[in-house]
Every structure is written in structure tokens, then in C-alpha cells.
Amino acid sequence: MSTRPPLARSIPFWGLLVVSLGTAAGGAFLLTSKLGSMTAVLTDNTATPVDVYVGQSVAVAGAVLLGAGIVGIFLTLAVAAYATLRPVPAVEVVEPVAAAPEFDEVAPAAAPVVTTEPVVASEPVVESAPLVDDAPADERDDVTPR
């Protein structure tokens, strides 16, 4: 079972937040700067067709970027709210293991003892009766005549 990292360490979450904030800020700057310049040239009666027609398209593009950034920020907030609803995995408490003795403190192991005596079974071997009776049918006790 894989565990997901907490939201504070999630790179996609922070990436979504940074890109959304950047998009919203860029769209807001584009929209306000273009609308400000259009307002200035239209009130001065010095507007050219490029200022009016191209300025409107750029202002609409800025509004779209601002809206996309706001939607991204709302998505980031929704992901953060959903992350609080996830169950937290139970943390297992691991007790420390007693320290093993150091190798210097352990006595050297003795050489293995090799015996040349044959190994004798401690229990007698019991022979079992054969499973198939090889005696002819007429010598059997349990045979009944037909």
C-alpha cells in the first residue's frame, strides 16, 4: 500500500497554486493596463483604430487569463479541502530493540565437534504388516465360501 505525501510536500499542489496565481496576476495586469491605455486615448480623442480594436482583443485575452487563474485558485482550495477529509494512516509505535552485545565482548565460538562413531537410532524400528495379503484365498481366515 502506498501512502501519499502530505499536501504541504506535494509538488503538483504547489505547482497548481503558483501557476494559478501567476496566470491570474498576468491576466489582471494585461486587462488593467490595456483598459487604462484605451480609456486615456479615448477620452483624449487621440485613439487610433489599432488602439481601439486591438486593445479590445488584448483586454478580452487578459480577462480570460484572469478567469483561468481564479478557477485554478479555486481548484487549489478544493484540493486542500479534500485533503483534510482523507483518513490519516495509523502510526505504528515501534519500541527500540535492546542493544546487541558488541563483537568484542562475545567469546569466540569453539570448533565444532566431529565424531566418527556411527549414529544409532534411539527408538527401535517397527516393521508394519504388509498392506496386501499374499496368501492364497483358501488359506485366509476371513474368506467365506460362496
Side-chain angles (χ1 to χ4, degrees), residues 7-144:
L7 197 58
R9 292 187 351 222
S10 175
I11 293 174
F13 173 77
W14 290 109
L16 176 63
L17 181 64
V18 168
V19 169
S20 298
L21 288 173
T23 303
F29 172 74
L30 194 62
L31 180 65
T32 56
S33 67
K34 190 47 75 175
L35 286 179
S37 69
M38 280 179 54
T39 303
V41 294
L42 285 173
T43 54
D44 293 344
N45 288 330
T46 59
T48 62
V50 173
D51 290 333
V52 176
Y53 296 115
V54 175
Q56 290 175 1
S57 300
V58 173
V60 168
V64 168
L65 288 175
L66 176 63
I70 291 172
V71 168
I73 291 169
F74 284 147
L75 282 175
T76 305
L77 292 175
V79 167
Y82 179 71
T84 61
L85 299 176
R86 284 191 307 195
V88 178
V91 178
E92 294 182 23
V93 177
V94 179
E95 296 181 17
V97 179
E102 294 296 323
F103 291 110
D104 297 341
E105 298 173 4
V106 176
V113 178
V114 178
T115 59
T116 57
E117 298 175 12
V119 177
V120 179
S122 60
E123 297 180 13
V125 177
V126 178
E127 291 186 23
S128 62
L131 297 175
V132 178
D133 192 8
D134 293 336
D138 57 341
E139 294 178 5
R140 293 187 198 151
D141 297 336
D142 60 353
V143 176
T144 57

